[in-house]
């Protein structure tokens, strides 16, 4: 059995052997309890915050491609203007192709929101490396068009890590080693992953003749535009 130390504590003398020891023992026993209570409260608050974050709704809408919103690498990470623009090319060739549904958001209070709530349902197309012949892009400004052309000569337009968010896409397309019905969160061909649970497709290569798109956003790691011309025009692409 262990023995108590001979050195008396403060207030604990031979004349008063128990003086002060009970209160100190009580305080000592209450301190861990208070600390444990505070720690429990903190843990409770942390758990509550985590639960609140996880409770943020992820499901949204389905149209064309089934869409579930989630935090992930979508084609666009900025607030779109809400003004669509047209893109055409006589030919597009790409390696590393992916496509999945997405949702773009306008800036708060955008005059272009209308009754959409500031959101546009889009199809995101991602291409690791792409070349385009006779690229044309136009934006209808109401009475006039801002027109951009490039790649009309021997040099083609080149882009890497290209993504486009479109509401319409047409042309004559051909794909190599296409996979249809993938989960967008598992895509590998273009280095972009969409939201988990979203329908998608991917292919090793893509070829589209007479490409025409209605886009709300485009991003690229590198975008080379030989023979670039920007001007106003009465007609668009």
């Amino acid at each position: 059995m262990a023995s108590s130390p001979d050195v008396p504590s403060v207030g604990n003398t031979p004349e008063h052997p128990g003086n002060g020891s009970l209160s100190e023992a009580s305080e000592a026993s209450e301190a861990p309890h208070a600390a444990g209570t505070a720690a429990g409260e903190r843990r409770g608050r942390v758990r509550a915050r985590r639960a609140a974050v996880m409770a943020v709704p992820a499901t949204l809408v389905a149209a064309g491609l089934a869409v579930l919103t989630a935090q992930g690498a979508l084609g666009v990470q900025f607030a779109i203007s809400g003004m669509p623009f047209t893109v055409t090319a006589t030919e597009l060739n790409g390696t590393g192709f992916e496509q999945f549904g997405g949702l773009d958001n306008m800036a708060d209070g955008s005059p272009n929101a209308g009754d959409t709530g500031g959101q546009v349902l889009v199809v995101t197309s991602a291409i690791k490396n792409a070349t385009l012949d006779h690229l044309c892009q136009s934006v209808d400004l109401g009475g006039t068009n801002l027109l951009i052309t490039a790649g009309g000569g021997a040099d083609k337009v080149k882009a890497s890590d290209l993504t486009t968010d479109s509401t319409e896409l047409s042309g004559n397309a051909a794909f190599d080693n296409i996979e249809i019905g993938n989960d967008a969160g598992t895509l590998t061909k273009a280095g972009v992953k969409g939201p988990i649970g979203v329908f998608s497709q991917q292919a090793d290569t893509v070829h589209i003749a007479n490409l025409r798109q209605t886009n709300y956003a485009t991003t690229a790691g590198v975008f080379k535009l030989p023979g670039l011309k920007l001007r106003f025009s009465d007609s668009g692409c």
Side-chain angles (χ1 to χ4, degrees):
M1 178 182 293
S3 60
S4 300
D6 295 333
V7 179
S9 61
V10 176
N12 187 17
T13 64
E15 293 80 11
H16 304 283
N19 187 28
S21 60
L22 290 177
S23 61
E24 288 173 3
S26 175
E27 291 173 358
S29 64
E30 289 176 3
H33 176 72
T37 301
E41 290 176 352
R42 286 195 296 271
R43 286 195 295 271
R45 288 195 294 270
V46 170
R47 285 195 294 268
R49 285 196 294 270
R50 288 175 180 170
V53 170
M54 294 175 67
V56 174
T59 58
L60 200 69
V61 292
L65 294 176
V67 177
L68 299 176
T69 59
Q71 295 299 320
L74 295 180
V76 171
Q77 297 294 329
F78 53 82
I80 63 171
S81 70
M83 297 177 64
F85 55 95
T86 300
V87 174
T88 65
T90 57
E91 189 175 53
L92 177 149
N93 288 286
T95 58
F97 172 79
E98 300 173 357
Q99 196 171 65
F100 52 89
L103 192 71
D104 285 350
N105 293 277
M106 303 177 201
D108 291 341
S110 172
N112 300 319
D115 59 358
T116 67
Q119 297 178 323
V120 179
L121 186 65
V122 296
V123 175
T124 296
S125 301
I127 304 176
K128 188 63 178 177
N129 294 288
T131 60
L132 301 98
D133 288 342
H134 292 84
L135 175 69
C136 179
Q137 176 180 302
S138 62
V139 183
D140 187 351
L141 301 177
T144 189
N145 292 271
L146 179 61
L147 188 68
I148 297 173
T149 57
D155 294 331
K156 300 178 181 180
V157 171
K158 295 182 179 181
S160 63
D161 298 319
L162 175 69
T163 67
T164 58
D165 285 6
S166 313
T167 53
E168 293 184 23
L169 187 155
S170 63
N172 299 313
F175 305 92
D176 287 335
N177 297 322
I178 191 168
E179 302 170 1
I180 302 173
N182 306 63
D183 187 299
T186 66
L187 296 175
T188 59
K189 301 293 185 180
V192 174
K193 294 185 184 299
I196 295 175
V198 173
F199 179 93
S200 69
Q201 60 184 7
Q202 64 177 359
D204 288 344
T205 67
V206 57
H207 170 81
I208 304 177
N210 300 318
L211 170 69
R212 186 175 189 86
Q213 292 177 300
T214 300
N215 294 344
Y216 276 86
T218 297
T219 65
V222 175
F223 211 6
K224 296 182 179 180
L225 300 164
L228 172 67
K229 293 183 180 179
L230 185 152
R231 60 194 181 277
F232 291 102
S233 173
D234 292 336
S235 58
C237 298

